[in-house]
């Protein structure tokens, strides 16, 4: 189990560095170890599925990514229930993928569900809330709903500036979205 976690962590780091070909075998191996040790419906398996799904999303391998992210979401909902922060993360990740695929109408309800869970857990002013608002705004832009996107971008910018300061890259990205 510890080896699988270490592989997953290293694979995630390599993914963040854009070293996808080096990350892939580590994330696949981590998933295989966790499935063999824990069975196919364990929370740690869901985590490994999520990591591998995000790697495939980064490479625009949407079909592979979607299957993994949907499976991760299913496991998390089954074990944790529908109102849990890990479920919110899975919903957000799947919605972001759907947005990348251009399926904005499918992404929107997932993002709204994720936002509702996060607001219940954190209140209105948290970085996860800002991320959710920004993602919702991006999906609305993809649908041409500019007037609906604006207040979401304004709120996310306000949260980022309040928590991280106006010079932080997230604040700058939020300002760019608003512009």
């Amino acid at each position: 189990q510890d080896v699988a976690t270490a592989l997953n962590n290293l694979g995630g780091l390599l993914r963040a560095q854009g070293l996808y070909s080096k990350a892939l075998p580590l994330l696949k191996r981590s998933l295989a170890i966790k499935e063999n040790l824990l069975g196919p419906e364990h929370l740690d398996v869901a985590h490994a599925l999520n990591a591998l799904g995000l790697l495939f999303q980064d490479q625009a391998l949407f079909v592979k990514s979607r299957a993994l992210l949907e499976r991760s979401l299913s496991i998390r909902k089954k074990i944790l229930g529908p109102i849990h922060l890990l479920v919110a993360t899975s919903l957000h990740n799947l919605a972001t993928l759907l947005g990348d695929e251009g399926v904005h109408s499918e992404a929107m309800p997932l993002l709204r569900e994720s936002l509702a869970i996060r607001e219940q857990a954190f209140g209105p002013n948290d970085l996860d809330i800002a991320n959710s608002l920004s993602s919702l705004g991006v999906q609305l832009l993809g649908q041409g709903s500019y007037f609906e996107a604006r207040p979401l971008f304004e709120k996310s910018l306000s949260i980022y500036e309040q928590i991280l300061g106006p010079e932080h890259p997230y604040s700058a990205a939020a300002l760019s979205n608003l512009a």
Side-chain angles (χ1 to χ4, degrees):
Q1 174 78 11
D2 291 342
V3 171
T5 299
L7 289 167
N8 199 68
N9 291 343
L10 181 55
L13 175 65
L14 292 169
R15 173 187 160 249
Q17 295 174 330
L19 301 171
Y20 304 135
S21 63
K22 291 183 178 183
L24 180 61
L26 300 179
L27 293 176
K28 282 184 170 182
R29 187 168 162 219
S30 172
L31 175 60
I33 291 169
K34 288 181 179 192
E35 284 181 318
N36 287 335
L37 285 176
L38 305 170
E41 298 288 318
H42 193 277
L43 277 178
D44 286 348
V45 171
H47 184 69
L49 289 164
N50 187 68
L52 188 55
L54 292 175
L55 175 70
F56 287 141
Q57 181 180 356
D58 289 346
Q59 298 174 81
L61 299 170
F62 298 137
V63 173
K64 288 182 178 184
S65 178
R66 187 172 184 168
L68 296 170
L69 294 177
E70 286 176 341
R71 186 171 160 217
S72 176
L73 173 61
S74 174
I75 293 168
R76 286 176 171 173
K77 274 188 171 182
K78 181 178 179 181
I79 295 172
L80 301 170
I83 304 173
H84 191 279
L85 288 174
L86 286 175
V87 171
T89 298
S90 284
L91 288 164
H92 189 268
N93 291 344
L94 181 56
T96 303
L97 170 71
L98 293 168
D100 288 351
E101 289 182 294
V103 191
H104 304 290
S105 61
E106 288 183 44
M108 291 298 295
L110 301 179
L111 285 171
R112 290 188 194 286
E113 186 178 350
S114 175
L115 176 61
I117 295 168
R118 288 173 170 177
E119 284 178 333
Q120 184 177 353
F122 299 126
N125 294 314
D126 181 85
L127 290 177
D128 281 338
I129 303 300
N131 290 337
S132 290
L133 291 168
S134 180
S135 293
L136 272 168
V138 168
Q139 296 308 315
L140 287 166
L141 284 181
Q143 295 177 333
S145 301
Y146 306 112
F147 293 108
E148 290 180 61
R150 181 179 178 170
L152 300 175
F153 287 141
E154 288 172 340
K155 180 65 177 170
S156 69
L157 174 61
S158 172
I159 295 169
Y160 285 134
E161 287 182 338
Q162 178 185 3
I163 296 173
L164 302 172
E167 303 299 318
H168 193 277
Y170 287 1
S171 298
L175 187 60
S176 176
N177 283 341
L178 181 57

